Amino acid sequence: MTAGFVSYIYRGASLLVVAAAGVGCSSDTPAREFTVPKALCGQSVPARALSDLLPASGKRLTVRRVGDLDDGSALCGVTVDRDTVLDVSSERIDAGDSARHILRRRFSVQEQKSAEGGSIAYTDRAAVSLIKCRGSRVEEEDVSTLIKVLEPARPDESAMKKLAQGYAASLKAEHPCRVAS
C-alpha cells in the first residue's frame, strides 16, 4: 500500500467521523426557551429538581395561582405553551392522615417511597407532603401539599422527591400553622 492511498483512506474516514458528529449535534427537537423559576406558587424550590420535571422544550412558562392557604386551600398550575404540566395544591386538613395514605387515595398509587420521616410520600409523577400543626398555641390540623406532573412534563422520582422536600421546607419556614383561638 502506498502512502498516498493510506492518506486518502484516513482523510475519508475523518470526513465520515466529522459528518457523523455533525448529525449527532443537529436536532429536530425544539429547545427550551422558557426560564425555570426559582419559586413555585410563592415558595422557593430547588430549580434543578423543577427543571428536571418540566418539559425539555417549550417557549413560554406561566404560573397561575388561585386561592390562599390562609383561607383553607390554594391551587397553583404551571403551564408550558398552553399545556398544564404541573399542579400544586395545598390545603388545611383534619389532623391525623398520612402522606402515604393521601397519595394512595388521591392517585391510587400503591408503589411509593417516603422521605422526611414519613411526612413526604412520592413517586415519579406525584408527591404529597404534610406539615403537622400541633401544640398548645396552634390549631390542631395538618397542611397537605400535593404536587402532580402532567404530560408533556417528565416523570422523575429523584427530582419529585427533591421538589417536594424543597417546597415543604419553604412552606414550613413561613409557619403556616394557625394560632389557636
Side-chain angles (χ1 to χ4, degrees):
M1 229 183 251
T2 67
F5 182 72
V6 171
S7 175
Y8 177 75
I9 296 290
Y10 281 129
R11 277 185 276 157
S14 295
L15 285 174
L16 284 175
V17 168
V18 169
V23 169
C25 291
S26 68
S27 176
D28 292 334
T29 305
R32 182 184 278 180
E33 296 178 30
F34 60 84
T35 301
V36 176
K38 292 181 175 138
L40 182 61
C41 313
Q43 304 304 316
S44 62
V45 294
R48 175 63 189 215
L50 180 57
S51 177
D52 288 348
L53 292 167
L54 292 173
S57 64
K59 292 184 184 212
R60 183 177 173 174
L61 180 138
T62 307
V63 179
R64 182 170 178 239
R65 185 175 179 165
V66 178
D68 192 305
L69 188 55
D70 289 340
D71 297 330
S73 66
L75 177 63
C76 187
V78 178
T79 60
V80 173
D81 300 340
R82 295 186 302 252
D83 291 322
T84 301
V85 295
L86 196 70
D87 278 333
V88 180
S89 62
S90 296
E91 64 183 324
R92 297 181 180 283
I93 61 173
D94 293 334
D97 211 343
S98 72
R100 291 181 66 83
H101 181 255
I102 294 169
L103 189 60
R104 188 176 314 117
R105 185 180 71 232
R106 296 284 297 271
F107 296 111
S108 300
V109 175
Q110 301 303 317
E111 297 293 321
Q112 53 183 279
K113 295 185 177 176
S114 293
E116 307 294 324
S119 65
I120 294 176
Y122 64 96
T123 69
D124 61 345
R125 294 184 177 272
V128 171
S129 65
L130 280 180
I131 297 173
K132 296 180 183 288
C133 298
R134 306 288 189 279
S136 61
R137 296 185 178 161
V138 297
E139 288 187 30
E140 186 170 312
E141 64 183 355
D142 292 337
V143 176
S144 168
T145 299
L146 182 124
I147 302 170
K148 183 178 180 189
V149 171
L150 306 163
E151 295 284 336
R154 302 172 298 171
D156 183 316
E157 188 175 86
S158 176
M160 183 60 78
K161 176 185 176 184
K162 289 175 187 166
L163 183 65
Q165 287 173 318
Y167 193 96
S170 177
L171 182 59
K172 192 172 189 174
E174 291 183 1
H175 306 288
C177 298
R178 293 189 278 203
V179 176
S181 46

